[in-house]
Amino acid sequence: MINFLNLLWPQAPTIPVSIVLWTSQNRRSYPIPLSNLPFVVETAQKLDSDGRNVYFSTCAMSPDRVNDVRRGNKEDVVGVPGFWVDVDILGGAHKSKDLPENLEEALRLLDSFEYTPTMLVNSGYGLHAWYLFDTPYFFSRG
């Protein structure tokens, strides 16, 4: 996981920002400074070993806008590593029938896009295609 996060966030930001871990069982948020990626990984692994489903924010969040009960939303974003596409695959956790039938079909769909993803992640129920910027984009909310 640390290699993945280092690809998303290859340098420490010049403004305070957080990555938010979130667990579905208790709907609790765990904001952690982006400058401490090893602790993000350590916390995610601990929560996972406790049997929790752990998710993380794909964007950097304003640390004064997130807490243990508020994981944030689009108004709280202060940094993005790039763009991403979630391509779900038929079956499993997905009820929709209008989806690629398998990974190969999902890859063909992504190949039809104009740009090639920087990386692909198998989510277990599909693919996450990441299109990363050369450097993450950080901004302030006024």
Side-chain angles (χ1 to χ4, degrees):
M1 180 177 183
I2 191 72
N3 292 335
F4 173 72
L5 291 174
N6 280 326
L7 287 171
L8 296 184
W9 308 105
Q11 60 199 38
T14 58
I15 59 173
V17 297
S18 294
I19 292 293
V20 180
L21 300 177
W22 183 77
T23 55
S24 58
Q25 286 86 351
N26 61 358
R27 303 179 62 84
R28 174 144 187 246
S29 298
Y30 301 82
I32 301 170
L34 180 59
S35 59
N36 195 351
L37 289 180
F39 188 64
V40 172
V41 173
E42 180 183 322
T43 304
Q45 290 172 334
K46 169 74 171 102
L47 293 167
D48 180 65
S49 70
D50 290 345
R52 302 221 175 105
N53 296 326
V54 182
Y55 303 89
F56 72 97
S57 58
T58 54
C59 296
M61 309 300 278
S62 178
D64 60 335
R65 307 261 321 224
V66 292
N67 57 46
D68 63 344
V69 294
R70 187 174 189 285
R71 61 182 166 162
N73 58 37
K74 64 184 179 185
E75 286 81 21
D76 306 318
V77 172
V78 293
V80 292
F83 298 97
W84 54 96
V85 176
D86 184 1
V87 180
D88 295 330
I89 293 178
L90 188 66
H94 306 295
K95 295 178 182 173
S96 176
K97 302 295 182 204
D98 187 23
L99 297 172
E101 291 188 20
N102 52 44
L103 283 175
E104 292 75 23
E105 197 172 309
L107 287 169
R108 279 195 298 280
L109 174 65
L110 290 169
D111 284 341
S112 73
F113 293 3
E114 182 175 349
Y115 298 100
T116 302
T118 308
M119 67 176 156
L120 293 172
V121 176
N122 185 331
S123 69
Y125 296 106
L127 293 172
H128 295 169
W130 289 83
Y131 302 84
L132 299 177
F133 300 141
D134 290 335
T135 58
Y137 179 66
F138 293 98
F139 48 93
S140 61
R141 295 274 182 182

